[in-house]
Amino acid sequence: MIETSFWHYGLAALHLLVCLALAVYGIHRYALVYLYYKYRRNAPRKSACFLHKPRVTIQLPMFNEQYVAERIIEAACRVKYPRDRLEIQVLDDSTDETVQIARRAVERMQAEGHPIVYLHRDHREGYKAGALAEGLKTATGEFVVIFDADFVPPPDILNELIDHFVDPRVGMVQARWEHINREHSLLTKTQAVLLDGHFVIEHAARNRSGRFMSFNGTAGAWRRACIEEAGGWQHDTLTEDLDLSYRAQMKGWRFVYLPEVTSPAELPPEMIAFKSQQHRWAKGGAQTCRKLLPGILRSRLPWRIKVEAFFHLTSWVSYFLMVVLTLLLFPILYLKTHVFGGIPMLRYAFDGSLVLLATCSASTFYVACQRELFRTWAESLKYLPFLMSLGVGISLNNARAALEGLAGKASEFVRTPKFGVADQKDAGWREKTGKQRLDPKRVQAWCEFGLALYLAVCVAYTIHMKMWIGLFFMSLFFIGFAYVSLLTFYGQYQAARAGGGELKPRPADTAAETVFPDRH
């Protein structure tokens, strides 16, 4: 055994602190599951129906959505609602062939008698939030329903949502997302489970227990007066939906979540698109936390709302913790075998912390949500190991995004690429990756691959030292980073091949860093 030193104890203490912090966020997941089951019967019910249907505006924000623009326009026009009480706005900021596609689709729908208008901006000021705010200037609806371009709203959705606004205190009603291409690949299946956890457990637990929940940017309806009283759509964060949600609820407006009302959408079928989406959500979440959390904690809101808001708005912290934990794995393995091998408590702290971290809270949370949706345990259990691996593998991408958000680094609203996936077996999307001009972020991909190699060494060392308890969880870390990095490289290759040359970042991705500063 090597003689212990201050640095040995310091590394061990840092590792245990990181695991403890992660365990706290894991306990929060337990709390959400508890709240869900405690308040599961507290489902919102319509107290009455509108005698005369109020006027509604459906907004369809889009930017370079050539593969899905026509689909969402047609789906919005199929929504059942009195035509003299409905207005549909296509809010198009596109700079490519989407302009012609969307305009032709709108003209065709107008000729069929649908109350739809096409509004095109020649700039992207404020990005999605700016487009929604611009649309409100001419909107005639008392209520506003928003659908992103990759959604396919069912015909009855508006009638399912609107009567909840009979209660004058209700400011927003959110439907649950479903997934057109859930069974398309291992990646989409795992994403579906991740989102199901958010929509089935988190939203219901928060909403039904009287805590703050968030609008998810789409598949929801707003009372226009609520938007205006809360300060309107603001574009100083990349998650304008989360920002407005908290501002509205702090003003006293009630939100309603309807998990039984669903709207299907397309999940990103390839890794670069998925990472782009996660990057925007993580960065926007950190920006919103920086903007609103201090005021929430200083407010006179009930403590239960403050605590839940803290965990909700600081969820990005777990990405930093996961990256630090990953970097500490080999030093801790070495300390366990060569320094603290004779101290049983420290010897097994490593294995015990990983078991606590990687199994209990995540398993309970995601198994519960799948059980509620599909009434079976078996279907969800087989995806749990890979779900945890993907959560680890995406941590560097999301930690980088959150760091940018905290530092106030500006960037454009990079939309999630959509490929117009029509069903579970549609494989034609690969031919479209070259036209999407995805941002490859090669340096980050190589860092992720480097972490995969580092973790492969950790796995080999674990096997060599016969530390079987930690081997399974060490393998999850390795698989996560290997899967994310290799699929990123494969996505770059496919996009470059489809585009007929080397894949390069879009000029706007760099120009936006100075063109559009954050306004905190």
Side-chain angles (χ1 to χ4, degrees), residues 336-351:
K336 176 187 172 183
T337 53
H338 292 85
V339 180
F340 297 130
I343 308 177
M345 183 175 294
L346 291 175
R347 179 184 175 91
Y348 293 105
F350 169 74
D351 294 333

Side-chain angles (χ1 to χ4, degrees), residues 280-323:
R280 188 179 75 248
W281 289 352
K283 181 171 181 176
Q287 290 172 325
T288 304
C289 175
R290 172 183 167 179
K291 176 181 178 179
L292 298 181
L293 186 58
I296 292 172
L297 296 180
R298 291 193 301 266
S299 72
R300 296 183 177 181
L301 291 168
W303 68 268
R304 70 179 191 282
I305 292 179
K306 291 183 180 181
V307 170
E308 182 55 38
F310 173 84
F311 280 104
H312 188 189
L313 294 178
T314 64
S315 58
W316 46 268
V317 170
S318 60
Y319 303 127
F320 288 110
L321 296 172
M322 195 62 67
V323 172

Side-chain angles (χ1 to χ4, degrees), residues 172-175 177 198-199 202-204 206-207 211-220 222 239-246 249 255-257 288 312-313:
M172 192 279 296
V173 181
Q174 174 73 58
W177 295 6
H198 174 67
F199 279 95
E202 285 189 56
H203 265 357
R206 288 172 179 145
N207 187 237
R211 290 156 173 83
F212 285 178
M213 63 166 284
S214 63
F215 171 58
N216 290 104
T218 178
W222 282 86
T239 47
E240 72 293 325
D241 46 5
L242 179 64
D243 176 27
L244 180 59
S245 296
Y246 268 85
Q249 290 169 105
F255 282 13
V256 173
Y257 175 55
T288 304
H312 188 189
L313 294 178

